[in-house]
Amino acid sequence: MAIVFTSPSHLQPSSSSSLSLNFASSSKSLSSAASCSQIVRLCESSIVFRAYAPTCKSVLVNCSGAEAVEDQAKLSTSNRALRRTVGKGSKLIGCGSATPKLSISNEYLSKFVDTSDEWISVRTGIRNRKILSDGETVTDLAVKSSKKALEMANLKAEEIDLVLLCTSTPDDLFGSAAQVQRELGCNRALAFDITAACSGFVLGLVTGSRFIKGGGFENVLVVGADALSRYVDWTDRGTCILFGDGAGAVILQATSDEQDCLLGFDFHSDGNGQRHLHALVRSTDKKPGDEGAVSNGDVFLPSRASVSCIQMNGKEVFRFAVRCVPETIQTALEEAGLHGPDLDWLLLHQANQRILDAVAERLQIPPERVISNLSNYGNTSAASIPLALDEAVRCGKVKPGDVLATAGFGAGLTWGSAIVRWA
Ligand code: ACO
């Protein structure tokens, strides 16, 4: 099922395009397993459209398998208590992060794959990564980071209206946002997952701010949490050296338009690039009588799905990042009326130090203004930006009023940027 919302021509921006949201537990592209009927209801009440209206001519919402809209009584309480606050800005009021306890060094990796600390650190800047162990989950990390963000923001869990969990590796196929909501006690909040790989957090940040702008949402928790270690081929030295697990969270709060912390943003996706980076869902179609075949009588033989390990053409992804990231940041900077040298900080998805350096050089940002913590954590996908932000804020590096350019890039391919003012 697909719904297209188009804004009246007098509201359409001159340059911007359309936005496509897929709410489908099977495709998991920008997916939410939050009941599709809820999303339909949200669309009907135009929240999604109003959220994105200022920047998009049209919004396409795909709801695979959406059933009829359920009873009003089943809808979340936040929908019932809508406050119309169209036109508000957002401010960042808290952040937090959490990582697993198990640390894996380059030396340790070199015991089971043919690599070395020197090769990894020279080519990537990575020296350690944290990996889930002993029953730790993505939800655990998301909850821990969110609690710290709530504490910094001086907010109670019940004051959160929306929980956005940006992840490609939820603990549940149908998404883990609602579990984060439950564990935190955000009883009034709507919660759903956003899947856009390493671009997920920046997309979540902008999505949260659009919900605030659209109305009805005052406090939004945006969490980036991933555990790519679960999908890494630990015998493939080309990929297993890169990834780590972690979570980071921020809280956005409605404020006046003048105080809006989101100064500009820009997003792209290109499915043609999927061949360079993916972890595909495999369908195993067994014939009746095959070992492990589960039959459905004489009607049909259901297929079973599993996910393959991460496959990446590192060189192509590297080229894509170095070309596209400066471009998207330039576009967002133009919207903000700023230039590279005006920025206090460059905070990119922490994939490879050589990518960070190349992008900084293109944007004429000196190395001392580039935030980097990937030597300790590797590439933590959607968690990397809020994790690095939290460390930089807590050590006093990033101060209130500082302007950051932040950009995510990765599988999809997806990439995008946001110019934000801290606190
Ligand atoms: N240790 C030792 N040697 C290695 C290793 C290793 N871990 N990995 C590869 N090599 C070897 C290769 O086999 C090759 O050997 P050969 O010349 O004999 O054939 C040589 O080193 C060079 O390999 P390349 O793949 O060409 O190395 P490159 O300099 O491109 O670095 C890397 C590889 C680090 C993966 C780099 O390409 C990269 O960082 N790419 C970007 C990845 C990225 O940013 N991903 C972000 C998105 S992630 C997401 O969205 C989920």
Side-chain angles (χ1 to χ4, degrees):
M1 175 181 174
I3 306 167
V4 180
F5 289 92
T6 306
S7 68
S9 55
H10 68 280
L11 287 179
Q12 287 184 358
S14 54
S15 61
S16 212
S17 55
S18 61
L19 180 78
S20 171
L21 302 180
N22 289 311
F23 293 97
S25 54
S26 55
S27 81
K28 299 186 72 49
S29 166
L30 236 179
S31 73
S32 168
S35 156
C36 283
S37 61
Q38 255 188 22
I39 299 301
V40 173
R41 177 70 78 185
L42 279 171
C43 298
E44 284 177 347
S45 63
S46 294
I47 292 167
V48 171
F49 177 64
R50 283 190 295 113
Y52 289 93
T55 49
C56 290
K57 285 180 183 171
S58 61
V59 179
L60 168 65
V61 181
N62 287 319
C63 300
S64 293
E67 68 275 24
V69 172
E70 292 163 7
D71 292 343
Q72 184 72 32
K74 289 187 188 163
L75 294 172
S76 92
T77 49
S78 61
N79 298 344
R80 273 187 254 123
L82 282 181
R83 296 176 296 277
R84 307 288 170 187
T85 51
V86 178
K88 278 202 170 186
S90 313
K91 61 181 172 182
L92 284 160
I93 58 166
C95 59
S97 63
T99 53
K101 54 182 183 296
L102 179 64
S103 191
I104 304 280
S105 67
N106 291 347
E107 285 86 0
Y108 188 79
L109 274 180
S110 66
K111 289 182 183 166
F112 57 90
V113 281
D114 183 13
T115 190
S116 65
D117 175 46
E118 193 196 351
W119 194 97
I120 301 171
S121 52
V122 168
R123 300 272 180 138
T124 69
I126 299 165
R127 291 187 179 277
N128 275 293
R129 68 282 296 141
K130 302 287 191 82
I131 301 292
L132 291 184
S133 66
D134 288 342
E136 287 172 315
T137 64
V138 171
T139 304
D140 292 341
L141 297 180
V143 168
K144 275 185 197 160
S145 62
S146 302
K147 281 183 177 167
K148 291 178 190 166
L150 282 166
E151 197 181 318
M152 186 187 282
N154 204 13
L155 274 187
K156 295 193 191 75
E158 312 87 76
E159 293 176 275
I160 296 291
D161 301 300
L162 177 64
V163 177
L164 299 175
L165 178 63
C166 311
T167 185
S168 304
T169 54
D171 298 319
D172 183 329
L173 172 72
F174 299 123
S176 294
Q179 293 310 306
V180 174
Q181 174 211 23
R182 182 183 64 91
E183 296 268 322
L184 288 170
C186 299
N187 303 326
R188 297 171 52 236
L190 166 70
F192 62 91
D193 288 34
I194 291 179
T195 301
C198 304
S199 312
F201 177 76
V202 181
L203 193 50
L205 193 66
V206 173
T207 300
S209 78
R210 300 302 88 181
F211 269 78
I212 287 173
K213 200 172 263 305
F217 298 84
E218 290 284 329
N219 295 309
V220 178
L221 171 65
V222 185
V223 193
D226 261 315
L228 290 184
S229 68
R230 289 167 165 175
Y231 299 92
V232 155
D233 175 356
W234 288 99
T235 64
D236 174 13
R237 67 179 182 173
T239 52
C240 76
I241 57 154
L242 297 174
F243 301 107
D245 306 334
V250 298
I251 293 172
L252 287 166
Q253 185 170 65
T255 184
S256 65
D257 262 342
E258 297 72 46
Q259 288 187 322
D260 198 357
C261 76
L262 186 64
L263 309 177
F265 67 89
D266 177 59
F267 281 109
H268 303 270
S269 44
D270 177 11
N272 291 310
Q274 186 199 31
R275 65 187 186 281
H276 301 312
L277 179 55
H278 53 78
L280 294 177
V281 172
R282 287 184 298 226
S283 227
T284 40
D285 292 316
K286 293 186 187 278
K287 296 187 199 68
D290 283 356
E291 197 184 336
V294 184
S295 119
N296 187 16
D298 294 333
V299 187
F300 66 95
L301 197 65
S303 60
R304 284 282 170 270
S306 62
V307 180
S308 66
C309 288
I310 296 168
Q311 305 287 321
M312 184 177 70
N313 179 338
K315 274 204 185 314
E316 282 298 332
V317 176
F318 193 99
R319 278 195 207 108
F320 142 74
V322 169
R323 187 180 73 252
C324 293
V325 174
E327 283 173 9
T328 181
I329 293 177
Q330 286 289 11
T331 306
L333 278 169
E334 270 169 39
E335 189 189 342
L338 297 172
H339 298 96
D342 300 329
L343 292 166
D344 294 301
W345 301 104
L346 180 65
L347 174 47
L348 302 182
H349 165 50
Q350 308 281 297
N352 184 318
Q353 188 61 45
R354 289 189 293 143
I355 296 177
L356 270 55
D357 296 342
V359 173
E361 201 181 317
R362 285 271 301 276
L363 295 169
Q364 298 179 318
I365 298 168
E368 61 274 16
R369 292 206 210 149
V370 178
I371 295 174
S372 171
N373 69 351
L374 59 77
S375 68
N376 295 327
Y377 305 109
N379 176 345
T380 56
S381 192
S384 84
I385 292 172
L387 180 56
L389 174 69
D390 183 51
E391 285 194 352
V393 166
R394 284 177 194 269
C395 76
K397 210 168 172 178
V398 170
K399 297 186 174 57
D402 281 359
V403 176
L404 301 91
T406 180
F409 52 93
L413 299 173
T414 55
W415 66 103
S417 61
I419 313 299
V420 293
R421 194 189 302 108
W422 172 248

